[in-house]
Amino acid sequence: MYKYASDFEIFLNTGDPELAKKYIDRFPFSGLTCNPQMVADNKRTDYINILKELREAAGERKLFVQTPSNDYEGIMKDVDTILSVIGHQPTVIKIPTCADGLTAIMELSAKGIDVCGTQVMSTLQGVCALQAGAKYVSVFYAMMEMGGLDDHGLYGGCNPKMVYDALTTYIDKYHCSGKIMACAPRNPDEISYLISTGAGSITLDPFDFDRCFADRNFQGVHKGVRAGWEEVFGTTPIQDML
């Protein structure tokens, strides 16, 4: 497998096996991430087969699979089932960072199972998941900004930049071995910010790569360079010039 140039990891975020197969070898991905909603978007009821197809697409890379359950007993049963289908390595189980989820993270991490605390939308959630032994915490940038009003008419959103700064400080200052997985950017500027924070990884949708490499500014330069070449050399391949 390709040896990456740094410890930073880029993951492809999709629950669609066909998209996973299409993109996984085109970019330097360290693996795949998905959640139950994304898997359900396939509109297929053969969940176990979807897991097997995602494992096949990921190959030797990491595959992050989230438990559909949110309660402790359901989470633990889900984990047993998922691991029985796709194996332990290189698999990372995503668990929602709720109260029951934290209990499961502590227990599973103690057993040597790699866990990602997901749906993190506050500093305390992230610190608790990391302290419980999570290898990754998926921190949802956009969801924090879009917290909106709660049932009491109070603004419920967190400042995502403060959360990222605080978690980065926690990891660095207290020698935590876990990583932030930056999630849910809405545009290229937010991707730039998330990568600049010190997060150890980021997960992005296929759309993000399509938008980046199809950007009109890039395509203008890309096509212009080729057009300049063809004005002089035509379309003759350079190997035919030897």
Side-chain angles (χ1 to χ4, degrees):
M1 190 170 66
Y2 176 75
K3 183 176 175 61
Y4 302 106
S6 74
D7 291 334
F8 187 80
E9 296 173 297
I10 305 172
F11 294 102
L12 176 64
N13 190 40
T14 181
D16 183 337
E18 294 306 313
L19 283 177
K21 293 173 187 176
K22 177 181 176 181
Y23 284 86
I24 193 67
D25 290 320
R26 296 184 67 189
F27 301 97
F29 291 120
S30 295
L32 299 174
T33 64
C34 66
N35 65 41
Q37 182 178 359
M38 295 165 65
V39 174
D41 285 342
N42 288 294
K43 305 302 181 185
R44 291 169 49 185
T45 57
D46 55 333
Y47 175 73
I48 297 302
N49 286 331
I50 294 173
L51 284 188
K52 291 178 179 178
E53 291 170 23
L54 290 171
R55 174 74 278 166
E56 181 182 1
E60 297 179 6
R61 303 172 182 89
K62 295 175 184 176
L63 174 59
F64 290 68
V65 178
Q66 183 173 335
T67 61
S69 301
N70 295 327
D71 63 289
Y72 171 77
E73 290 186 2
I75 288 170
M76 300 304 286
K77 290 177 180 177
D78 288 351
V79 172
D80 287 342
T81 301
I82 291 167
L83 293 178
S84 73
V85 174
I86 59 175
H88 283 68
Q89 296 294 338
T91 299
V92 183
I93 301 295
K94 293 172 62 177
I95 295 177
T97 312
C98 54
D100 279 7
L102 284 169
T103 303
I105 290 172
M106 287 189 285
E107 184 171 331
L108 293 168
S109 297
K111 293 179 178 179
I113 296 172
D114 289 343
V115 175
C116 171
T118 191
Q119 300 171 359
V120 171
M121 288 180 275
S122 72
T123 299
L124 184 57
Q125 273 183 296
V127 169
C128 284
L130 290 166
Q131 195 75 0
K135 298 288 186 182
Y136 297 83
V137 286
S138 295
V139 187
F140 285 24
Y141 184 90
M143 281 64 169
M144 283 186 279
E145 280 208 326
M146 298 187 298
L149 299 177
D150 62 20
D151 293 339
H152 303 287
L154 301 173
Y155 185 71
C158 293
N159 182 324
K161 293 186 176 181
M162 290 183 66
V163 172
Y164 269 85
D165 288 347
L167 290 176
T168 300
T169 298
Y170 169 80
I171 288 170
D172 290 343
K173 184 174 182 179
Y174 298 106
H175 311 291
C176 174
S177 60
K179 282 185 175 184
I180 297 170
M181 180 183 288
C183 298
R186 293 165 295 182
N187 55 56
D189 286 344
E190 288 184 355
I191 292 173
S192 297
Y193 169 75
L194 292 175
I195 291 175
S196 74
T197 61
S201 63
I202 190 168
T203 185
L204 298 168
D205 296 341
F207 169 77
D208 292 308
F209 294 88
D210 289 341
R211 177 171 57 182
C212 173
F213 292 98
D215 179 85
R216 64 182 180 85
N217 293 322
F218 169 72
Q219 286 295 324
V221 173
H222 180 57
K223 293 175 180 177
V225 169
R226 177 65 186 180
W229 164 271
E230 289 184 358
E231 283 182 10
V232 176
F233 298 103
T235 58
T236 303
I238 60 172
Q239 57 267 30
D240 291 350
M241 299 178 184
L242 291 173

